[in-house]
Amino acid sequence: MTAVTARPRRSRADRPAPDWDLVYKRNYIERLKRDRPPMNVREELPELIARGYEDIPEEDIVRLYWWALAHDKPKIGTFMVRIKVAGGLVNAAQVRALAQISNDYGRGEAELTTRQGIQLHWVELAKLPEVMERIEAAGLTTNGGEGDTVRNITGCPVTGLAEGEAFDVTPVIREVADHFYGNPEFSNLPRKHKYTISACESQCNAPEISDVALIAVRKDGREGFTLRIGGGMTNTPRISRDVGVFIPREETVEVLEAVTNAWQRDLRYRISRAKARIKFMMDDYGPEGMRQRIEAALGRPLEDGVAPEPTADTDHLGVHPQAQPGLLYAGVPVSSGRISGAQLEAIADLVESYGGDVRFTRQQNFLLGNIPESRIDDVRNTLRDIGFDLDRGRAFGRSIACTSHRFCNYSVAETKGKLEEILDELTDSYGAGPIGDLAIHVDGCPHACAQHWVGEIGLQGTTTRVDGSDERIEAYDLTVGGGLGSRSAIGRRLMRRVPTHEINGVMDRLVGAWLKERADKGDFNFTLGDFCNGHTDDELIAVAQGIDVANASPDTSVGVRVPGPLLPLVDGEDRIEVQAPTVGEALAIVAKRFPGFKETVMPEGTVDKAFLIAIGDEDVRNLDGMNTAVQPGADIVVITALSGG
C-alpha cells in the first residue's frame, strides 16, 4: 500500500469564521434547533403523548433531551428523567419528594450521577408531565439536564462545612444556577457546557475535566475565583488549563456569561458536533487567546490571578468534624450509585430527625451534613440497616460506573454490576483496607460518562468474538494511570477487548502486583497509578496476562467504532479491526463486509448526511475527508448526526 501523508493543518483560530448558512448546511442539530427550538417541546408533550411513543419522530425524541428526558433501552416507551441538583445540596423534604417520585413512577429505582444529580428510569411517556411538575414542586428541575445547555452545576459536597476553604461558595452556586438554568440565552449552545465551582482545598470537584471551573481564592482580602477552562472526556480527553485571571465574587455571573458567549458566538464551534466543546476552543487559542476573547465579550480586562494547585487528596468518605463545633459530616459510599426509593425515604426521615441535609457527590455517593456528635452512632446504625455501611471499603465509594447497557442505548457492556463484582473479588482477595484508595471507572461506551480516562484503572465496554466462533460477548478496553487532584493525568490505553470472563483475572493480577510492590517499598502512599507509571506498557501487559514480558503484544490495529444504535448493522461488532491507510479505505472494507452498514451509512459509496466520521473528536471533513490518514492503533468513529448529547 502507498503511504499517505497528511497535509499540515491550520488551527481553527487561523481559519476564516464560517457563517450561519454553512453551520446549518453542515450540522443537522443546529438546523433542528433553529427550526424547532427544543425548549418548546415541553408544551408539545400532550400532543406527543396523544400520538403514541412509536409515532414520535426521532428528532422530537432528541428535543426532549433539553428537558433531561431520554428514552430507556429497550425503546419501549419508558424514559430516563435526569434531575438537576445545584451543588448536590438537597434538604430532607426534597429527598422525600425524590423518594416518592421514584416509587410512584420509576419502579422504586434511582441513580446518583457523576454531576451530583439523580436520575430515574422506567417513567412512562404519558406520565412525564406530572413527573416534571412534581420535581418542580420540590424546588428542583430537569431543565437543561441534557441537550446543548448549561448542565448541572457541581461543587465540593462539604462546602460550608469544611475548615480551610477560602469561603462558602454555596450562595454563588445558587446564584449561578438561578441565572443559567432555563435561561434561553444559554439554551442553544454549541454542545453541553459544564460549570463547577468550589473552594475545596483538595479540589475534589474535578476542575481538571470540567468545561469551566471556578476555584475560590482570596486576593488582597477579597473573595473571588480563579478560572480554568477546557477539560473534558470522550474520545479526546483533556485536562483544563488556567486562564490566569482573578474574578471578584460579585462579578461571577457576568464573567461566566462572557466565557460562555465567547464560545457560543464563535461559529467555528458549531460546524461539527464532533468539535463543538469549549475544550477545542482552548486547543485552538490557548489560555492567553481565550483570555483575550473573554475580555472582548466582557468589554473590559480582567485582573491577573493564578489557579492554586490542590493541597491534598480527599474523597470526603467516612465521618469528619465540621468547621462548626459539635457537628460532624458523614460521607457514605454508594456502590455504583444505585439507590432505591425506600432508601431515599429512610434517609429523609433520618436527616429530618436531627435537622441536617443531604449532599450528592461527584463520585455517585451522598454525604450527610450537620450531624450532632451525640447522634453519630444512631446515624451509623441507621445507615447500615438500610444498606449503606460507613465502614464498607472506600474503593466502593471511590469507583464509579455509568448507567450501563441495561438502560443506555449506546452502552455495549455491563458496568455497574461488573464494577461491584470486581470490587467484591478484590476485597475478598486483598482486604478492604489495602485496596481502599483504588479508583476504578467503568464505562459502557466511548462517551466516557464514568470518566474512565481519569480512573487509576479505566474500563471501556466493547465486544469480542469467542475463539473459533462468530458469537460475540462483552469485553473491555483497559486504561491505566489516570487520576485527579494532585495526581491529575489522562490514563493510557493498555489493552483492548479483554473478554468479560477474563477481566477479573486481569484486574486481580494488576492489583496484586501493585500491592506487592507497595509493600516492598514500604510506602503506603504508593498508588496503583504510581505503579503503572513506573512500568512500560509491555511490562504491565505481561503482568495483566500472567505471561513473560517477551510475549506481550499490544494491539496496534486500526478500528472503526460503531455506536450502539447501529450495532445490528454490523452483527454487534462495535469495533471493527481493519488494515487500511485512510479513513475512506477503512470504511469501504466495513461496508463490503456488512451490507446493512453500507446501505445505511454509505448508501451511495459516500457517508450519508445522517452520520459524521471522526478520528478521536476531529471531524474528518476538517482534515482530508475520506483521504485522511490513519495510524495503527487509531479509532475511526461513526457518529450519529442526530444526537443531542
Side-chain angles (χ1 to χ4, degrees), residues 311-352:
T311 58
D313 293 310
T314 186
D315 45 40
H316 300 302
L317 291 169
V319 178
H320 304 271
Q322 291 183 188
Q324 298 81 11
L327 296 178
L328 306 170
Y329 71 81
V332 185
V334 180
S335 183
S336 297
R338 294 195 277 204
I339 193 167
S340 71
Q343 288 172 322
L344 288 167
E345 188 85 45
I347 292 166
D349 291 342
L350 175 62
V351 169
E352 192 171 60

Side-chain angles (χ1 to χ4, degrees), residues 9-29:
R9 284 281 161 183
R10 293 183 299 167
S11 163
R12 251 173 308 277
D14 298 325
R15 302 177 197 169
D19 58 21
W20 277 107
D21 287 342
L22 182 59
V23 169
Y24 294 140
K25 179 181 178 181
R26 297 280 292 272
N27 192 323
Y28 192 103
I29 293 292

Side-chain angles (χ1 to χ4, degrees), residues 85-90 115-116 152-157 159 173 181 359-361:
V85 182
L89 179 61
V90 282
R115 291 203 63 76
Q116 295 178 270
N152 195 45
I153 297 163
T154 65
C156 170
T159 187
I173 291 175
Y181 286 7
R359 293 135 186 269
F360 300 147
T361 80

Side-chain angles (χ1 to χ4, degrees), residues 112 157 315-320 329-339 343 347 350-351 354 357-361 363-369 371 376 379-380 382-384 386-394 396-398:
L112 302 181
D315 45 40
H316 300 302
L317 291 169
V319 178
H320 304 271
Y329 71 81
V332 185
V334 180
S335 183
S336 297
R338 294 195 277 204
I339 193 167
Q343 288 172 322
I347 292 166
L350 175 62
V351 169
Y354 62 80
D357 56 34
V358 178
R359 293 135 186 269
F360 300 147
T361 80
Q363 292 163 308
Q364 300 175 310
N365 304 313
F366 67 88
L367 184 144
L368 303 182
I371 305 169
I376 190 59
V379 168
R380 184 186 294 275
T382 300
L383 287 170
R384 184 181 295 114
I386 64 173
F388 299 112
D389 189 347
L390 282 174
D391 298 321
R392 191 177 191 185
R394 290 176 56 248
F396 286 91
R398 290 173 55 80

Side-chain angles (χ1 to χ4, degrees), residues 513-582:
W514 157 55
L515 292 176
K516 181 180 184 303
E517 188 164 323
R518 185 173 75 177
D520 291 344
K521 289 178 176 291
D523 179 7
F524 191 75
N525 293 318
F526 183 73
T527 68
L528 188 139
D530 294 332
F531 169 76
C532 292
N533 292 332
H535 292 273
T536 67
D537 286 358
D538 286 352
E539 290 170 339
L540 292 174
I541 292 169
V543 169
Q545 295 179 336
I547 61 175
D548 185 88
V549 68
N551 297 321
S553 54
D555 180 11
T556 59
S557 63
V558 169
V560 177
R561 285 270 185 194
V562 179
L566 299 185
L567 291 184
L569 305 178
V570 291
D571 297 340
E573 193 167 350
D574 65 300
R575 184 179 187 269
I576 302 160
E577 297 170 359
V578 299
Q579 298 294 324
T582 68

